[in-house]
Amino acid sequence: MQVFKVNKAFRVMIIAQFFNNIGSSFFNIVFLIYAATLPNKTLAVTLVAFAEFFPSLLSVVMGNLADKTKNHLRAWSFARLSQAGIFLIVTVILTFWHGRFDSFILLLVLIFFADTIGSYSNLLMTPVSRYILSDDQLQNAMGLEQAVSITVSLIGGFAGVGLLGLLHQDYAAFSLINTFMFIVAWLIMTVNRHHFKQAEAHIETTQRPKSTQPMWHDLKTTFSYVYQDKLFFQLMLLATAVNFIGTSLNGVFNVTLLHEKRLLIGSFGTTVAMFGAIFSTGMLLGSLLPIPFLSHLTTKQLLAVALTGVLGLELVPIIYPNGSVWMIISFVVAYFNAQVNPKFGAILMKRIDQNKLASVSGLLNTFALSSAPVGQFLFLGIANLISPNISWLIMAIVTLLIVIYIILTRQNDIEKVEKTGETAILYVL
């Protein structure tokens, strides 16, 4: 919290991000509820899931555009106003063509564009964040950003459903409130723009000339840039491998609860809600109240500890099916997981050339998320077609292999190498 108190520019950015996240979090759950009211509700709900996930896969493209953009703050303002404009159109559609499947398809397209623009605007601020934060503030700042995101996600669903009830299921009015949230975020940044003038000037003067090469060539160059930094590339592959498992945990967990009644704490719905709350609380506490000795561990060491907890989580339904034990391990895993992301973010900020920060950030997001559908298809498929326990066993084996890999490659730990002065100079293209 210290960085929030002493750094005015970061404080402004976090508050604006808070309002933007509220708008996104509120509408995600409400749009899902709206989809469930339509005639073809199963198809509608499935399409919503795809529409929310697909923009993340375009992060590498959005990052490339962000790095090529002149005047980041002006582009950010235009992007946020564009999101507000899109939701005004959504409000009109929900007012006059509510409940129609053809208008729902149009809504999907509009929200896809809004989310994609949101990804672009977030990546625009990555080099700005690097300039306004000192090296010793980076990890705490990343942790606070994560805490804000988790807090909004934690309360956003409940608050969104509650607000929708107060509005008597008026989806158009809800969309209008969402529009207002984006405008508030834009207004906060616009009024306090003077705090970012130096950062903007620095980016403008250090930005490389705009590339005349086609985008696929720029994307290939970004990948080559990351690949040449072997230590950082190894971390990126680890993040992808962890995501391969992590994105499937909730799905296999839900299927397991349907088969193993001993794991239930009350009803199915109550158990799912309790585990969600416990995990979010663990992430939030891990972001805001880290244990001091954990700061001395490297990112790979901390990841190995977190994955050991995940291994325990995967073995509980096989060895000792007990809901309370599962809940405790889930909290511990969430707490350690919350420590990893800020460390990784700080490494990214320090190690990557400022002119490529958005491109590399987008590449990381796309890489990590690209493994998610494969993992879900594999592990959820096994859980449904064969047995949840078989799925947990295979997940445990994969997790153990990743932990072993981390141990075997401990000599290539990026932070340890840097401390001993053995790090190679990053090749700048």
Side-chain angles (χ1 to χ4, degrees), residues 64-381:
N64 182 263
L65 289 175
D67 276 333
K68 289 181 176 180
T69 300
K70 291 287 186 182
N71 198 321
H72 281 57
L73 293 179
R74 184 172 62 194
W76 183 93
S77 295
F78 181 75
R80 289 302 183 214
L81 287 177
S82 297
Q83 285 181 290
I86 287 173
F87 274 96
L88 274 177
I89 299 172
V90 169
T91 302
V92 172
I93 293 173
L94 288 171
T95 301
F96 295 103
W97 296 284
H98 171 77
R100 290 171 46 174
F101 199 81
D102 54 349
S103 65
F104 168 74
I105 297 298
L106 180 56
L107 289 175
L108 274 178
V109 173
L110 288 170
I111 290 169
F112 164 76
F113 278 116
D115 288 347
T116 304
I117 292 170
S119 173
Y120 169 68
S121 62
N122 289 336
L123 289 165
L124 279 170
M125 295 304 290
T126 305
V128 177
S129 299
R130 181 64 188 100
Y131 183 82
I132 65 175
L133 294 166
S134 61
D135 284 356
D136 59 340
Q137 290 178 330
L138 281 173
Q139 188 171 323
N140 288 332
M142 299 295 103
L144 186 56
E145 282 190 52
Q146 179 176 259
V148 169
S149 178
I150 293 167
T151 302
V152 172
S153 297
L154 185 60
I155 66 175
F158 295 107
V161 173
L163 181 57
L164 184 64
L166 291 174
L167 294 171
H168 305 290
Q169 309 299 308
D170 189 337
Y171 295 97
F174 198 97
S175 177
L176 193 60
I177 292 173
N178 204 56
T179 304
F180 177 71
M181 292 296 178
F182 285 117
I183 292 174
V184 169
W186 168 81
L187 195 59
I188 289 170
M189 286 290 288
T190 301
V191 170
N192 294 280
R193 188 166 180 169
H194 59 280
H195 290 303
F196 301 91
K197 281 186 176 179
Q198 288 185 346
E200 191 171 21
H202 176 76
I203 293 170
E204 290 296 313
T205 55
T206 57
Q207 195 173 37
R208 290 189 178 89
K210 189 173 181 179
S211 173
T212 57
Q213 298 290 341
M215 181 170 288
W216 69 266
H217 182 272
D218 291 333
L219 298 180
K220 181 181 177 182
T221 301
T222 300
F223 179 82
S224 298
Y225 174 83
V226 175
Y227 180 73
Q228 289 180 60
D229 186 352
K230 302 298 184 183
L231 299 179
F232 187 79
F233 185 73
Q234 186 184 97
L235 270 185
M236 187 177 78
L237 292 181
L238 275 175
T240 305
V242 170
N243 219 45
F244 174 71
I245 299 169
T247 53
S248 304
L249 288 175
N250 278 343
V252 179
F253 166 76
N254 292 335
V255 174
T256 304
L257 291 180
L258 295 174
H259 288 80
E260 185 57 78
K261 303 300 181 184
R262 286 179 294 175
L263 290 168
L264 291 176
I265 301 173
S267 66
F268 174 82
T270 301
T271 305
V272 171
M274 286 179 68
F275 269 89
I278 286 291
F279 194 85
S280 296
T281 302
M283 287 285 290
L284 185 60
L285 291 177
S287 300
L288 296 176
L289 301 172
I291 299 173
F293 87 86
L294 294 179
S295 62
H296 300 298
L297 297 180
T298 66
T299 304
K300 283 182 72 173
Q301 289 171 340
L302 201 52
L303 187 58
V305 173
L307 284 172
T308 302
V310 171
L311 185 61
L313 201 66
E314 294 160 343
L315 292 176
V316 165
I318 303 172
I319 298 174
Y320 184 65
N322 184 285
S324 298
V325 173
W326 221 9
M327 190 175 289
I328 293 170
I329 297 176
S330 179
F331 175 85
V332 173
V333 167
Y335 184 89
F336 279 102
N337 186 55
Q339 308 288 305
V340 176
N341 294 333
K343 275 182 170 287
F344 190 85
I347 291 173
L348 171 70
M349 289 284 196
K350 292 176 183 177
R351 198 169 181 89
I352 302 302
D353 187 289
Q354 180 181 287
N355 291 298
K356 290 184 175 290
L357 264 178
S359 297
V360 173
S361 296
L363 178 68
L364 287 173
N365 290 339
T366 300
F367 243 81
L369 289 171
S370 64
S371 64
V374 181
Q376 290 176 338
F377 178 79
L378 174 64
F379 297 122
L380 278 172

